C-alpha cells in the first residue's frame, strides 16, 4: 500500500542548538508479507524543512531514504495500532554562517550537504475505511548518526491507500 504522511519535527537535546521546529512530508510504499498477515516491509522517502535555531543558522533540510517494517494490530475490523522501525540514510543540507557573527551588516551564509545514517521508531494509530483507504496519526523518535547523535521527534498525520 501507499502512504502519504505530513510531519511536524521537533529537535531534541543537542539538535535544538542547530535547528528549531520543522515541517515536511513523506511517501511510503509497503508490501504485506504473506503468510504473516498485517506485517509490512517497504521504503519511505520525503522532505523535511527545519528552521535555524539561531540567527547564524538560516535553515536545514533532510531527504530520507529508509527501509521500513511495521505490524498492524487490528481492533474491531477497522481500528489499528502499528509499531514501526525504519533505517537507512538521509541527504542533509544546512545553510549557516561559518564564523557565526553578524559582521558588517549581515551574515555570510554558506550551504553544506552530506549523507548520514538515520533510524526511526514509531507508533501509529489509525482507522480503515473499507479495504482501500485509511487515516493515521502517530509519533516517531528519530536519530541522525553524525559524529555525535542528533535526536528528534516527529508528530504525523496521513493517508494510506491499498491497491
Amino acid at each position: 500500500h501507499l502512504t502519504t504522511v505530513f510531519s511536524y519535527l521537533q529537535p531534541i537535546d543537542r539538535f535544538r542548538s542547530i535547528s528549531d521546529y520543522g515541517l515536511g512530508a513523506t511517501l511510503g510504499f509497503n508490501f504485506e508479507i504473506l503468510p504473516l498477515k498485517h506485517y509490512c516491509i517497504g521504503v519511505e522517502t520525503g522532505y523535511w524543512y527545519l528552521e535555524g535555531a539561531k540567527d547564524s543558522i538560516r535553515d536545514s533540510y533532510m531527504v530520507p531514504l529508509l527501509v521500513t517494517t511495521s505490524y498492524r494490530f487490528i481492533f474491531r475490523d477497522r481500528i489499528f495500532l502499528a509499531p514501526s522501525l525504519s533505517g537507512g540514510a538521509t541527504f542533509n543540507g544546512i545553510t549557516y554562517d561559518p564564523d557565526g557573527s553578524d559582521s558588517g551588516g549581515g551574515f555570510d551564509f554558506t550551504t553544506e550537504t552530506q549523507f548520514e545514517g538515520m533510524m526511526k521508531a514509531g507508533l501509529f494509530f489509525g482507522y480503515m475505511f473499507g479495504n482501500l483507504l485509511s487515516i493515521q496519526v502517530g509519533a516517531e523518535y528519530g536519530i541522525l548518526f553524525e559524529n555525535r547523535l542528533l535526536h528528534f521527534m516527529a508528530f504525523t498525520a496521513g493517508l494510506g491507500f491499498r491497491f
Side-chain angles (χ1 to χ4, degrees):
H1 66 276
L2 184 68
T3 57
T4 302
V5 175
F6 299 95
S7 303
Y8 169 83
L9 274 69
Q10 182 60 58
I12 300 172
D13 198 29
R14 188 174 81 88
F15 199 3
R16 288 181 79 152
S17 67
I18 300 168
S19 295
D20 202 355
Y21 71 93
L23 298 172
T26 58
L27 183 66
F29 189 69
N30 300 292
F31 296 97
E32 194 170 272
I33 303 298
L34 298 175
L36 302 173
K37 195 172 182 182
H38 309 300
Y39 176 72
C40 294
I41 62 169
V43 294
E44 173 186 303
T45 189
Y47 180 85
W48 295 317
Y49 171 87
L50 295 103
E51 289 287 331
K54 48 190 165 189
D55 290 340
S56 62
I57 301 174
R58 181 184 300 159
D59 56 27
S60 62
Y61 64 87
M62 294 187 279
V63 181
L65 181 58
L66 307 171
V67 174
T68 65
T69 183
S70 65
Y71 186 87
R72 284 187 177 194
F73 295 96
I74 309 290
F75 305 98
R76 298 196 175 237
D77 294 329
R78 298 282 178 232
I79 299 170
F80 66 87
L81 189 64
S84 71
L85 189 61
S86 306
T90 179
F91 179 73
N92 300 333
I94 185 168
T95 302
Y96 71 104
D97 184 347
D99 69 10
S101 65
D102 184 2
S103 55
F107 290 100
D108 185 21
F109 289 108
T110 186
T111 300
E112 288 186 8
T113 59
Q114 64 185 11
F115 285 96
E116 295 174 335
M118 176 187 272
M119 190 170 148
K120 296 188 305 174
L123 186 62
F124 299 92
F125 175 78
Y127 184 84
M128 296 181 291
F129 297 94
N131 291 327
L132 298 178
L133 178 66
S134 64
I135 59 172
Q136 67 181 38
V137 295
E140 296 178 296
Y141 174 77
I143 300 172
L144 292 173
F145 295 96
E146 283 195 344
N147 52 358
R148 292 187 348 186
L149 300 179
L150 297 178
H151 307 267
F152 66 92
M153 289 293 300
F155 302 97
T156 67
L159 297 172
F161 306 95
R162 289 192 124 153
F163 44 87

